[in-house]
Amino acid sequence: MTVSAAPLALQLALGAGAGFAAGLAYFRALRWNVDLFERGVTPKAILLLITRFAALAAALAALAKIGALALLSGALGLLAARRVVLRRLGGLE
């Protein structure tokens, strides 16, 4: 059995969980990134920005290798994490 032949329920759960975890890390790092830019620490901010994008791309690429359902549920998990982080920061009312 290959990874792409994983049962649909497993793809769904794995994708949503991994997407949510990646989303929490991504959006928390985004907040940190904004703080670095505001303080004028541009080289460190650019390095964090590149790292943030690369980590998210790697997570989504790994989910794509598992299957389309894993990738789609990962994207939904990412959006759910965005909502959680925005609520914690006071961006959503």
Side-chain angles (χ1 to χ4, degrees):
M1 179 162 141
T2 64
V3 176
S4 62
L8 294 179
L10 179 63
Q11 286 188 36
L12 182 66
L14 182 64
F20 189 78
L24 285 178
Y26 180 85
F27 290 111
R28 285 180 181 165
L30 176 61
R31 178 64 184 150
W32 185 25
N33 215 178
V34 169
D35 289 340
L36 288 173
F37 274 120
E38 284 179 345
R39 287 186 292 159
V41 191
T42 306
K44 192 182 273 188
I46 290 174
L47 181 63
L48 178 60
L49 186 137
I50 292 168
T51 304
R52 195 167 41 91
F53 282 143
L56 183 61
L60 292 176
L63 288 176
K65 287 191 181 264
I66 294 171
L69 186 60
L71 180 61
L72 290 173
S73 63
L76 289 175
L78 184 77
L79 290 174
R82 177 186 171 270
R83 186 169 183 83
V84 167
V85 171
L86 280 175
R87 281 199 178 199
R88 285 186 186 165
L89 294 175
L92 289 179
E93 315 225 346

